[in-house]
Amino acid sequence: MQKALRVYGQVLRLVRRLPKDSRPYYAKYARENFVNYRDVEVSDTQILDELFLRAYNHSLWVLNKRYIYLVQYSVDESTANKLKEICCG
C-alpha cells in the first residue's frame, strides 16, 4: 500500500508539470485508475508490479504526447526518474 501511495504521489507531481488546462483531466484520470485497483491483494506482487509499470509507462506516454504538441512546458526529469525508481525498482 505504501508503494502505491508513493507512485500516486509521483504521478500527481508529474501532472503538475502539465499545462494548467489539462491538469484536472489527468489528475482525475490518475485517481480513477488508482481507485479502480485498490482491491488488488497486497500479497500479489506480480499484479502490483504490472500495475506500477503500467502507471509509469502511461505517465511517460502522456508527458511525451503533451510535449510533442505543447513544447511550451518543461518536465522535471528528476520527477520522472523518481517515478521510474519507485515503479520499476
Side-chain angles (χ1 to χ4, degrees), residues 1-82:
M1 178 61 126
Q2 194 67 21
K3 185 175 179 179
L5 292 174
R6 289 176 53 211
V7 170
Y8 181 61
Q10 285 301 124
V11 168
L12 291 181
R13 282 182 191 85
L14 288 172
V15 166
R16 282 188 235 139
R17 297 290 187 192
L18 297 173
K20 282 189 176 190
D21 65 328
S22 61
R23 290 178 197 168
Y25 171 80
Y26 286 107
K28 182 180 177 185
Y29 181 82
R31 176 164 170 63
E32 287 173 353
N33 276 283
F34 277 87
V35 167
N36 286 340
Y37 293 105
R38 69 177 164 207
D39 294 332
V40 172
E41 290 294 325
V42 177
S43 60
D44 195 347
T45 57
Q46 181 180 358
I47 296 289
L48 289 174
D49 287 342
E50 288 174 15
L51 290 171
F52 295 146
L53 183 60
R54 188 183 309 170
Y56 171 71
N57 288 331
H58 188 75
S59 296
L60 286 183
W61 181 83
V62 168
L63 291 172
N64 288 329
K65 172 185 156 191
R66 296 300 297 184
Y67 182 75
I68 289 169
Y69 294 111
L70 299 168
V71 184
Q72 305 164 345
Y73 76 98
S74 65
V75 173
D76 181 2
E77 196 170 320
S78 66
T79 306
N81 288 337
K82 181 73 171 176

